[in-house]
Amino acid sequence: MPDEPVTSDEKTVSSEHHWWHRWFRLPGELREMGVVGINMRNARFLLPNNPRRLYELVDNKLRTKALAEEHGMNVAETYGVVRTPHDANKVDKMLNGNESFVIKPTRGSGGKGVLVIDGKNGKNFVKPSGAELTPGDLRNHVSNILAGLFSLGGKRDYALIEYRVCPAALLTAMSFQGAPDIRVVMLHGYPVMAMLRASTKESDGRSNLHQGAIGVGIDIATGITVRAIHHGNPVTTHPDLGIELIGVQIPEWDTILKMSVTCQEMTGLGYLGVDIMIDETKGPLMIEVNARPGLAIQMANGIGLMKRLEPVVEQHRLKPNADMHAKIAFSQHHFRAKLPPVRT
Amino acid sequence: MSAQAKLIMAVALLIAVGGGMAGYKSSKLGVPFWEGDQVNEWLVESRVSFLATGRDVKARLALPSIAVESGSGQESGSLDYHYNVEDDRGEYTAVWSSGAREDGQALYYRVRFKEGLNSGGEPIASVEKPNAPDVPKLPGSLGTAAQSIVTRAKNVAADPDSLFVALFEQINSGASSQEYLIVKRHYEKEGIANPNIAMGIDLLGLAGVPARPAYGVSLRDQNSGQIPVPLLEYYDGALWKVRNPANPSKILDGRELFVWHRGGGSLLDVDGGDNSRVTFTVVKDRIPLATLTDLQDSPLLVSTILALPAAERAVFRYIVLIPLGAFVVVLLRNIVGIATLGTFMPVLLALALLELPLVQGLVMFSVLVAAGLWFRFLLSRMNLLVVPRVAACVVIVTLLMMLMGVLSYQLGFSVGIKITLFPMIIIAWTLERMSLIWEEEGKRSAIVQVSGSVIVAVCAYHFMKVSQIQYWAFYFPEMLLILLAGILLIGRYTGYRLSELIRFKSFTNA
């Protein structure tokens, strides 16, 4: 691949410092940096590219998983599905001796209602934080899921019990308690931006950035972390663990990119986010597909999404039938970040 | 055609149709465009309703003389009834008659008059001197009690006016003498519609002052379906005077009360019907009568709610405000970017606030939500299923509302009673969602979203409160098409939300 600088060092208005940057940015400055707002994302990328009927494929995790398995993708093993309150008593049988597992609503969003169990202590279940749940607490959580408490629009729901991912040691070192996941945002099957979300003490095991998790931008070309933000401000080390966050090579990056493109191909959604976790023994596992990925990823990467989306729109117009390899090559070539020195 | 072109076409069409109709109504039909441009008129509509029993029907409703003499009265909307006005030496009665009928019937009569000091209850000279009043027959101890009340009242009163005031102050006060209580209880037991009036008439009769009932209408805008205000007319030796027994020392004020019927005789008589009653709807009307007649003949009638009977019209006063609230929500969510709990919850909250003084309304809402939330957390310890839990919340919210109503009444805030206007189910759902967000995303998110909803509700409230805007929405409902055009435009707005300018303030290029 030719070694050419992709981002030039042009001096722009937005890079100068002004007094108001402490409080806000002018719309013109954001536009110049290519920042995409919610209205823009919805009107220009979600509505035209994601037909409503396809949402069911990704809003229902059972269907997404089945689809992914058809396409030969690795997903977390399903231990069982609780469909009726009566089944809630059979959770033990479904676990089949596995002591660690995850219970999640099949139609949940944004990590709502996800319960992670690390192991057992006598009859009780132990969460990663060390808190214990009685079997009654667990049943109650399941019945909340069944009643639709966490699902989109409060629809009745099923509870999915699956393998608890043991993230690779490299990644657990970067996260306080929770397992970090990798989000790749795609347009028309081109990976446009990626980040790793690591939880902090403040975010309490969750990976939502507005709850205090850390967003770590990843270079699409190499899979090396380039930048990290906490509450919107750049950081270089984890606030609780002190570990360096930048310059980390994410393992099996090529597999991750291929999985992301496959997710786009299997769902048919034009604009989507793919969430992936890397298991120590099983490698990258597809966790979920999100049809309305958020905008914090551009802050984690320090690049406005528009700068990545517009070239893709143009490329897609020129070559509507590009295959997976061509798409990945295009993204890796055009979206290469300026790399910090690689940590060894 | 591209989506963009379709949108522009639709917006242009909506603005042209909406603006064109409003312009036509304003310039050709003379409906004033600005609220302050016209004389205020009151429109009082009486609605006679009864259950016909299958025999020939004849209904007689006494009319205010101003209606007939100034020609501002108007019979409206009584299908297949023969209608005429009977004139009995200056006392007018509307008479509707028809063959055999069954089921519920409704007859309407409207009166319009200028807002002013004249209540129609001014003292008038009697044509002939009235006979000495019949002395009411009160048995035994009742008679003695009544007699001693009158004797005592006569001792302190110099003339019929002060006698009237003295008697009614006693009747109205809760803590009056034993004799009053005995007599009062007698009248209450009789099952008369207005025991105080009947008692007053009899006591005045004992004192030799002729008196008879009269009926008025309370002039408060949008007061729909009110029952007649019972008044009393008495003869002071030269003139017949009308006063309100509920407020005996006050001379009637034409800005607050309109005397519909005086001069004795009954207000309403219905032959061939049961459960007859008359109710009044009062609307402050801003369109001159002549224009209204034109409007009802014009093809634009479909666009105007003015063709409806006033009682049905009053409902629309609130309905036309809902789109305005929805517009504010769209503006604040998509352009400003305020997070709210549920999309249109703020509109309902704003509608409820319209009925209450703003500050009290907000205080009550906060107390209700805080208390409800606390109960909701108690409930969550019991591990209930979702639907029963929300239902339990509804019950608790209902009880809390009753409690607050009673408490604030006891403390002397009459607004407390209106708290029932808060949409209860909406509050229960607000509690449910808020407590979920509280548990899932922390209390900060929950409080941010509830405050967002309240801020949006207050903005919507202020927007809906502007009387010019209410005026347009009500008299020019076609202008809602222009609002719709605005909403469509916002629907295609792809720029930044104001909140995003702050969210991305520390955005720096890598």
Side-chain angles (χ1 to χ4, degrees):
Chain A
M1 212 170 287
D3 223 359
E4 59 176 55
V6 173
T7 43
S8 57
D9 273 339
E10 45 191 329
K11 258 280 179 243
T12 56
V13 183
S14 52
S15 58
E16 285 164 27
H17 199 78
H18 292 286
W19 62 267
W20 62 79
H21 290 177
R22 214 185 137 165
W23 312 103
F24 60 91
R25 285 273 180 171
L26 297 176
E29 295 172 346
L30 290 182
R31 213 172 297 124
E32 192 186 293
M33 294 188 289
V35 174
V36 172
I38 299 261
N39 292 336
M40 170 80 82
R41 178 198 73 177
N42 292 347
R44 277 197 58 185
F45 301 104
L46 282 194
L47 290 172
N49 296 322
N50 293 359
R52 200 77 228 175
R53 67 194 152 81
L54 297 180
Y55 277 43
E56 170 66 11
L57 297 180
V58 296
D59 286 345
N60 182 344
K61 291 194 179 63
L62 288 178
R63 294 196 62 174
T64 321
K65 276 178 101 166
L67 211 58
E69 281 173 330
E70 270 172 40
H71 285 77
M73 213 182 293
N74 277 344
V75 294
E77 183 195 340
T78 303
Y79 293 153
V81 180
V82 183
R83 292 193 162 82
T84 62
H86 180 72
D87 286 351
N89 301 318
K90 297 190 197 150
V91 173
D92 257 337
K93 205 183 267 174
M94 290 175 183
L95 287 175
N96 199 14
N98 288 297
E99 292 211 331
S100 69
F101 58 93
V102 179
I103 299 187
K104 51 169 88 160
T106 61
R107 293 170 175 278
S109 68
K112 281 189 190 128
V114 177
L115 178 66
V116 181
I117 298 296
D118 245 0
K120 281 189 107 171
N121 179 11
K123 284 208 140 201
N124 288 356
F125 299 92
V126 186
K127 295 210 280 187
S129 62
E132 291 193 12
L133 291 180
T134 64
D137 292 336
L138 194 80
R139 257 203 309 281
N140 184 53
H141 184 77
V142 170
S143 72
N144 277 345
I145 291 178
L146 294 183
L149 203 53
F150 309 105
S151 69
L152 296 160
K155 271 193 226 160
R156 297 186 71 82
D157 204 354
Y158 300 147
L160 174 63
I161 302 175
E162 61 179 24
Y163 171 71
R164 152 129 164 80
V165 180
C166 298
L170 178 77
L171 296 179
T172 36
M174 292 169 70
S175 180
F176 183 85
Q177 286 177 354
D181 68 351
I182 293 162
R183 152 77 54 93
V184 183
V185 171
M186 322 272 302
L187 179 67
H188 300 308
Y190 293 85
V192 291
M193 221 177 254
M195 75 168 161
L196 179 128
R197 294 180 298 184
S199 41
T200 59
K201 203 177 233 169
E202 181 191 348
S203 78
D204 190 25
R206 287 170 230 255
S207 50
N208 288 336
L209 262 51
H210 72 268
Q211 285 171 14
I214 299 174
V216 186
I218 305 174
D219 175 31
I220 288 282
T222 57
I224 294 174
T225 59
V226 289
R227 197 169 186 272
I229 51 153
H230 186 219
H231 284 302
N233 299 312
V235 291
T236 54
T237 55
H238 193 289
D240 305 318
L241 307 168
I243 191 168
E244 185 72 31
L245 295 168
I246 296 175
V248 178
Q249 170 71 57
I250 304 293
E252 303 196 53
W253 185 244
D254 285 339
T255 318
I256 290 172
L257 288 180
K258 279 183 197 141
M259 280 174 90
S260 308
V261 181
T262 312
C263 281
Q264 192 278 325
E265 287 170 353
M266 74 183 193
T267 57
L269 289 166
Y271 185 71
L272 74 166
V274 179
D275 289 352
I276 289 168
M277 281 186 177
I278 304 177
D279 189 81
E280 199 154 32
T281 50
K282 300 175 196 240
L285 301 177
M286 200 278 290
I287 301 299
E288 69 175 7
V289 177
N290 196 318
R292 315 161 190 81
L295 300 169
I297 196 167
Q298 38 189 354
M299 308 197 40
N301 281 279
I303 292 166
L305 263 173
M306 213 48 162
K307 304 225 156 159
R308 300 270 173 101
L309 294 172
E310 267 174 346
V312 167
V313 169
E314 180 61 15
Q315 176 72 5
H316 184 63
R317 200 175 57 79
L318 294 174
K319 294 188 180 151
N321 298 316
D323 68 355
M324 175 189 287
H325 297 288
K327 287 177 176 177
I328 292 178
F330 176 87
S331 290
Q332 287 189 318
H333 176 64
H334 284 87
F335 304 148
R336 177 180 296 269
K338 276 178 296 176
L339 287 184
V342 177
R343 196 161 56 99
T344 46
Chain B
M1 198 165 22
S2 73
Q4 193 77 14
K6 276 184 207 158
L7 178 81
I8 291 170
M9 287 260 299
V11 166
L13 193 72
L14 286 172
I15 292 179
V17 171
M21 275 167 79
Y24 177 76
K25 252 164 95 172
S26 170
S27 61
K28 294 280 180 221
L29 298 177
V31 181
F33 194 68
W34 300 102
E35 193 201 3
D37 281 358
Q38 58 286 308
V39 200
N40 286 338
E41 286 191 319
W42 285 109
L43 167 64
V44 176
E45 183 183 82
S46 59
R47 179 178 191 271
V48 173
S49 57
F50 55 91
L51 266 175
T53 50
R55 292 179 286 128
D56 286 359
V57 174
K58 188 164 192 183
R60 300 165 57 87
L61 175 71
L63 298 181
S65 51
I66 176 181
V68 187
E69 281 161 10
S70 69
S72 66
Q74 196 184 15
E75 191 273 345
S76 65
S78 319
L79 290 174
D80 300 332
Y81 272 86
H82 175 261
Y83 159 79
N84 65 293
V85 173
E86 216 172 77
D87 179 359
D88 176 15
R89 284 169 300 163
E91 282 179 15
Y92 300 97
T93 311
V95 182
W96 288 273
S97 55
S98 138
R101 295 238 169 182
E102 278 190 44
D103 297 335
Q105 308 286 318
L107 307 169
Y108 295 92
Y109 190 90
R110 290 176 176 180
V111 178
R112 295 163 156 274
F113 52 91
K114 285 213 171 87
E115 193 176 22
L117 295 172
N118 218 329
S119 71
E122 291 68 32
I124 46 171
S126 178
V127 188
E128 53 201 72
K129 194 175 162 19
N131 301 328
D134 298 337
V135 175
K137 304 247 175 327
L138 290 171
S141 60
L142 269 176
T144 332
Q147 197 59 55
S148 74
I149 292 171
V150 170
T151 319
R152 239 178 318 127
K154 269 182 127 173
N155 284 342
V156 294
D159 54 7
D161 294 335
S162 47
L163 182 71
F164 176 89
V165 174
L167 280 175
F168 273 99
E169 272 175 353
Q170 284 293 313
I171 292 175
N172 291 341
S173 91
S176 41
S177 70
Q178 196 62 33
E179 289 144 345
Y180 268 101
L181 289 179
I182 292 172
V183 179
K184 213 169 169 177
R185 206 168 299 141
H186 167 74
Y187 282 93
E188 278 162 6
K189 259 197 310 210
E190 294 280 282
I192 309 166
N194 294 305
N196 284 359
I197 302 275
M199 176 176 168
I201 290 175
D202 284 356
L203 291 179
L204 284 169
L206 272 177
V209 176
R212 58 203 186 188
Y215 298 93
V217 179
S218 167
L219 293 180
R220 278 179 41 228
D221 202 8
Q222 299 164 31
N223 197 341
S224 92
Q226 60 163 303
I227 55 168
V229 178
L231 303 173
L232 209 151
E233 189 175 25
Y234 62 94
Y235 187 66
D236 74 348
L239 301 166
W240 282 100
K241 293 181 170 172
V242 182
R243 287 207 190 191
N244 186 355
N247 196 353
S249 53
K250 192 174 178 193
I251 305 292
L252 292 185
D253 184 345
R255 287 168 300 183
E256 292 168 2
L257 198 82
F258 172 69
V259 178
W260 182 276
H261 173 57
R262 63 188 290 185
S266 54
L267 177 64
L268 173 67
D269 275 323
V270 175
D271 286 337
D274 287 338
N275 289 331
S276 62
R277 58 193 241 120
V278 58
T279 52
F280 296 100
T281 298
V282 179
V283 178
K284 202 174 224 177
D285 222 320
R286 296 182 175 92
I287 297 179
L289 183 64
T291 313
L292 187 73
T293 330
D294 283 357
L295 218 54
Q296 285 176 340
D297 295 337
S298 97
L300 280 182
L301 189 65
V302 277
S303 84
T304 170
I305 26 194
L306 302 173
L308 290 173
E312 332 295 324
R313 245 161 79 183
V315 178
F316 282 94
R317 282 198 178 267
Y318 283 105
I319 291 182
V320 292
L321 292 181
I322 294 177
L324 302 177
F327 177 73
V328 173
V329 168
V330 168
L331 207 66
L332 291 183
R333 278 178 68 107
N334 279 39
I335 308 257
V336 180
I338 297 179
T340 60
L341 264 183
T343 317
F344 289 106
M345 185 276 242
V347 182
L348 296 168
L349 183 57
L351 274 181
L353 288 177
L354 275 180
E355 286 286 292
L356 301 168
L358 182 65
V359 177
Q360 274 106 316
L362 286 179
V363 167
M364 281 185 181
F365 177 77
S366 325
V367 172
L368 208 55
V369 166
L373 210 54
W374 185 67
F375 277 107
R376 168 66 183 69
F377 280 122
L378 290 187
L379 283 181
S380 77
R381 290 198 199 153
M382 284 185 251
N383 294 337
L384 302 179
L385 296 176
V386 179
V387 178
R389 190 168 60 211
V390 176
C393 259
V394 172
V395 174
I396 286 167
V397 169
T398 313
L399 291 175
L400 280 173
M401 280 185 172
M402 286 175 67
L403 189 71
M404 286 182 67
V406 171
L407 269 182
S408 55
Y409 182 73
Q410 297 275 331
L411 293 173
F413 311 117
S414 57
V415 288
I417 297 166
K418 286 189 174 169
I419 195 172
T420 43
L421 293 165
F422 276 125
M424 219 179 295
I425 306 288
I426 293 292
I427 288 195
W429 266 111
T430 303
L431 291 177
E432 181 64 23
R433 295 183 64 157
M434 195 178 164
S435 64
L436 276 187
I437 293 172
W438 193 295
E439 282 166 11
E440 287 282 328
E441 297 174 27
K443 60 173 180 255
R444 203 174 149 269
S445 286
I447 290 170
V448 163
Q449 292 192 25
V450 168
S451 342
S453 305
V454 171
I455 290 170
V456 173
V458 171
C459 291
Y461 163 86
H462 282 294
F463 186 63
M464 295 194 289
K465 192 87 178 165
V466 177
S467 59
Q468 180 65 57
I469 289 186
Q470 289 193 351
Y471 175 81
W472 279 333
F474 189 67
Y475 289 98
F476 294 92
E478 58 277 357
M479 304 249 287
L480 291 178
L481 294 178
I482 298 177
L483 193 81
L484 177 60
I487 291 176
L488 293 187
L489 281 178
I490 297 176
R492 287 296 301 174
Y493 170 74
T494 58
Y496 299 107
R497 299 176 179 179
L498 287 181
S499 62
E500 284 172 342
L501 301 183
I502 298 166
R503 177 184 175 191
F504 293 119
K505 67 176 186 228
S506 50
F507 191 95
T508 41
N509 275 323

